Amino acid sequence: MTMPHATLALSRSRQDYLKALFALGDGNARVTTSQVSQRLGVSAPSVTKMLTRLAAEGLVLHSPRAGARLTASGRREAIALIRRHRILETFMVRVLGLDWADVHDDAEVLEHHVSDRVLEALDRISGHPTEDPHGHAIPDRKGRIPHRDLRPLVDVPTGERVTVREIRDRDGRRLGRWKQAGLVPGARLRVKAVRPLDDVIELEIDGRALVTGRAALEGVMVDRNARNRNG
């Protein structure tokens, strides 16, 4: 059975809340008001008011103390929006030739206005991609997203060789820096050294050295099962 497409009758604000809950709760877990407030840049009272509305509409389960999580209907809507966003990003990079670091904000705008018919055409023209330019899996038409066992690059110990799979950041400047350094989906790298006292990590990427702080690598996700050591 084909997954229902995003309900365009939902306001952009409602759609943004559903996507935020999905991202923060990894699809199913409960999320606090403060987490949503920080992600969307709105006040906590405004978050509470919107979550109450979404709960009344059957899209969210919400209680002030326990937090909020998506219902089955809310999750379907969120996944449909994520599919839209990632197809749009892929189209802009593959077909329009835009830089992968600059497409997130444009996709955020367009995902609320592109019709289902146009979206399917963009998907076809882009070659029915399974991943967006940042390595995120694109949900299929039935709303299925393949499970990936990933871990943050900052948690990889010295000596391991890993493969970058996803870039989890919406800041174009950070994305641009990662691309310049070779931290892109599919890149193979080795953790040469971890110096916790100095808050520094040394990497080797395609024969090039990169020395940087842990905070500068937050959002780079690698395969959890790739644990080949070569000191």
Side-chain angles (χ1 to χ4, degrees):
M1 182 176 178
T2 302
M3 176 189 72
H5 292 289
T7 304
L8 297 181
L10 286 176
S11 67
R12 174 172 178 172
S13 178
R14 282 170 165 78
Q15 292 174 348
D16 287 342
Y17 271 82
L18 295 179
K19 279 179 53 184
L21 288 170
F22 187 93
L24 292 168
D26 200 22
N28 295 301
R30 286 189 176 271
V31 178
T32 66
T33 298
S34 60
Q35 286 177 297
V36 179
S37 174
Q38 183 176 11
R39 184 175 181 90
L40 296 180
V42 296
S43 68
S46 295
V47 172
T48 299
K49 181 181 287 188
M50 178 58 80
L51 292 177
T52 301
R53 290 175 182 169
L54 293 171
E57 294 165 359
L59 297 170
V60 167
L61 294 176
H62 172 242
S63 63
R65 293 186 178 181
R69 67 177 177 86
L70 298 170
T71 63
S73 296
R75 191 172 188 275
R76 284 195 297 271
E77 292 287 351
I79 291 175
L81 286 163
I82 290 166
R83 173 176 166 81
R84 285 171 165 273
H85 184 96
R86 294 177 180 176
I87 288 175
L88 283 163
E89 285 193 335
T90 307
F91 173 79
M92 286 188 278
V93 172
R94 288 190 182 182
V95 180
L96 301 184
L98 299 181
D99 192 298
W100 78 317
D102 299 327
V103 296
H104 174 79
D105 288 344
D106 289 323
E108 281 284 300
V109 174
L110 292 172
E111 70 188 33
H112 302 286
H113 304 290
V114 171
S115 69
D116 295 338
R117 183 172 65 90
V118 171
L119 184 74
E120 293 307 311
L122 298 179
D123 181 44
R124 183 180 67 254
I125 293 170
S126 301
H128 300 295
T130 57
E131 293 184 357
D132 73 9
H134 308 117
H136 305 107
I138 298 176
D140 66 15
R141 290 187 180 90
K142 294 183 179 180
R144 296 174 299 195
I145 307 176
H147 173 73
R148 292 173 168 177
D149 194 12
L150 304 180
R151 58 177 168 164
L153 174 57
V154 295
D155 291 344
V156 177
T158 300
E160 287 196 13
R161 293 184 181 274
V162 294
T163 301
V164 176
R165 287 301 177 202
E166 292 183 4
I167 303 297
R168 296 181 180 176
D169 201 289
R170 298 174 291 169
D171 186 331
R173 290 174 298 178
R174 280 170 63 88
L175 292 172
R177 288 197 297 269
W178 287 339
K179 182 179 180 182
Q180 187 176 27
L183 286 170
V184 297
R188 292 279 295 165
L189 59 88
R190 181 168 70 94
V191 179
K192 295 180 64 177
V194 178
R195 304 201 299 269
L197 291 179
D198 298 322
D199 195 31
V200 166
I201 298 176
E202 296 182 29
L203 304 175
E204 181 182 304
I205 310 169
D206 294 331
R208 296 180 298 167
L210 174 65
V211 181
T212 186
R214 287 174 55 89
L217 298 176
E218 292 287 350
V220 180
M221 307 297 293
V222 301
D223 277 329
R224 182 177 294 276
N225 296 324
R227 298 189 175 182
N228 300 319
R229 288 189 173 271
N230 184 358

